[in-house]
Amino acid sequence: MAAGEGRFDAAVTGLGMVTPAGIGASPTWERLCAAEATCAGPVAALEGGEVGFGARVPDFDPVAAIGRRKAWRLDRHNQLALAAAAEALADSGLDPATWDGARVGVVLGVGLGGAATWETQHRKLLEHGPESVSPMLIPMLVCNMSAGHIAMEYGAMGPNLVTATACASGTTAIGTARDLLRSGACDVVLTGGTEACVVPSIAGGFARMGALSRHSADPAVASRPFDVHRDGFVLAEGAAVLVLERPGDARARGARVRALVSGYGASADAHNPTAPDPEGRGAELAVRAALRDAGVAPREVAHVNAHGTSTPLNDAAEARLIRRVFPHQPPVTSVKGVLGHTLGAAGAIEAAAAALSLEHSFVPPTANLESQDPEIDLDVVRKEGREGPLSTVVSNSFGFGGQNAVLLLSRA
């Protein structure tokens, strides 16, 4: 397929980010570009556990962000999603008071949902009996409410979905949102991902399986993708929302198009519940599917935003597939060196970062990469970011269950 032949582009007209690097897309981008250290530190709720640190959104005040009434009724992952959606809509210039809500969809990726609420209410059940359990437990817990609350907030009455493909959830959501535009089901889709699971049970589960870094002496350097001394990921929280429209509609209303979502691919490893295929064969299928969908040859890809979790197995497998598919060695980065791993939100946050890379013609460095693993034969950007024209970026996301999702974004 020739480049662009039969391709469907979705215009990114709004971005909102709430991450451990800051509240808002601009502070997050600035911290990613500086890439000084992981936004991690001790977490009081994790004290006494096997791993007592993580990366939380700093100074997030849900009452200030979404109002007191909504704040007490929503789990933290929903609070973060609403805050990111508000920024994305303001950035897009769209006015929900004037749009046709039936033509507006919401697709959010969520991996685990209201884990903090579940823990709190389960503790109340054990200590004080069933009468102490909140009647808001279920709506605060279930994954679909992240998309539901955004729809309620803005009168979005079109398709309302949540995708749950583990750590690929946010990327799956954006690919699904693009399909809603391509099919004609929607004219606008708010899409992305959210997660807030820096809580004892989740941290304990990941720690017991050996997935978390144990670098407790200095959490700021614990997340180090592609480093020879990497020992696991840093558990983090966050959210990102992107506003997608058809490019023609965006141009007609004079909107700024920050980037284009031009390709999407998905696949399964069919290999292991938690470990990736060591050669990355399943993930490679998703990468090549995204390239075909966009009509882009591998050699045309200018940058790869890697899944790059800082775990020994994932980084090695991903490096092998990137080397096979992109022998021209495009620059590679992982923003998880700064942000840690935000699970179901990671793909959406990284898609937003990829869009900003295209907009600013800049590849952020991978934080904490001091000694690149000699088995990782990639051009990983480190120490300093890299300037230069970027035309296309591939953003990889892989999750437990062997679920893979990949986006190809192009310059507007």
Side-chain angles (χ1 to χ4, degrees):
M1 181 188 295
E5 182 183 339
R7 185 167 91 178
F8 180 86
D9 291 321
V12 179
T13 57
L15 286 178
M17 302 173 77
V18 182
T19 76
I23 299 171
S26 291
T28 295
W29 176 246
E30 290 170 9
R31 184 73 181 266
L32 292 180
C33 292
E36 295 171 351
T38 309
C39 303
V43 176
L46 304 185
E47 186 177 351
E50 288 191 44
V51 176
F53 63 91
R56 301 192 78 209
V57 177
D59 304 318
F60 179 71
D61 181 349
V63 173
I66 63 174
R68 184 175 303 276
R69 180 170 174 77
K70 285 194 285 284
W72 78 264
R73 292 188 293 116
L74 273 61
D75 183 81
R76 188 173 173 90
H77 81 292
N78 292 327
Q79 296 170 353
L80 298 178
L82 277 176
E87 183 190 13
L89 271 174
D91 184 50
S92 74
L94 288 166
D95 182 0
T98 63
W99 66 21
D100 179 0
R103 302 290 301 164
V104 179
V106 182
V107 187
L108 264 287
V110 181
L112 292 167
T117 294
W118 177 257
E119 278 203 356
T120 299
Q121 296 303 315
H122 186 249
R123 191 177 305 115
K124 287 184 177 182
L125 173 68
L126 296 180
E127 294 176 356
H128 305 293
E131 294 80 7
S132 67
V133 173
S134 170
M136 297 301 295
L137 167 61
I138 302 306
M140 293 175 74
L141 169 69
V142 292
C143 292
N144 69 293
M145 293 303 291
S146 57
H149 282 298
I150 291 175
M152 290 178 241
E153 184 74 12
Y154 299 111
M157 300 173 68
N160 191 268
L161 309 172
V162 161
T163 59
T165 52
C167 299
S169 297
T171 299
T172 304
I174 295 169
T176 302
R178 174 172 166 267
D179 286 343
L180 290 176
L181 292 176
R182 175 156 50 183
S183 71
C186 295
D187 296 326
V188 176
V189 187
L190 282 66
T191 185
T194 189
E195 200 83 271
C197 291
V198 186
V199 297
S201 62
I202 303 303
F206 280 127
R208 294 302 297 155
M209 70 168 60
L212 297 185
S213 172
R214 301 302 180 101
H215 201 81
S216 57
D218 190 358
V221 298
S223 182
R224 34 188 160 177
F226 305 118
D227 194 276
V228 70
H229 299 299
R230 67 193 185 278
D231 69 334
F233 70 80
V234 170
L235 185 62
E237 65 179 9
V241 171
L242 291 72
V243 178
L244 301 188
E245 304 175 64
R246 296 182 190 84
D249 294 342
R251 287 192 295 268
R253 67 180 185 86
R256 171 182 59 169
V257 177
R258 308 194 72 157
L260 301 170
V261 180
S262 302
Y264 170 65
S267 68
D269 282 0
H271 172 71
N272 185 275
T274 57
D277 177 338
E279 296 301 317
R281 296 294 180 184
E284 181 178 345
L285 294 174
V287 173
R288 293 193 184 278
L291 292 169
R292 285 194 304 272
D293 189 33
V296 169
R299 65 180 178 277
E300 296 177 84
V301 171
H303 164 44
V304 176
N305 189 309
H307 187 54
T309 60
S310 183
T311 57
L313 296 181
N314 177 87
D315 287 6
E318 185 175 17
R320 294 184 187 106
L321 84 88
I322 291 173
R323 192 71 179 87
R324 283 197 305 274
V325 178
F326 305 110
H328 63 294
Q329 292 276 40
V332 175
T333 197
S334 170
V335 301
K336 291 185 179 73
V338 172
L339 302 178
H341 194 350
T342 56
L343 308 180
I349 291 170
E350 289 156 20
L356 291 167
S357 284
L358 287 163
E359 184 175 60
H360 295 286
S361 297
F362 187 80
V363 178
T366 302
N368 303 322
L369 177 53
E370 297 296 332
S371 301
Q372 186 166 324
D373 187 334
E375 295 187 8
I376 292 177
D377 184 17
L378 300 175
D379 179 15
V380 183
V381 180
R382 50 186 281 190
K383 304 295 185 183
E384 300 288 337
R386 196 172 299 178
E387 295 184 16
L390 297 176
S391 55
T392 57
V393 175
V394 162
S395 186
N396 293 336
S397 296
F398 314 129
F400 282 179
Q403 292 178 308
N404 310 304
V406 175
L407 294 170
L408 186 143
L409 293 90
S410 55
R411 192 175 182 87

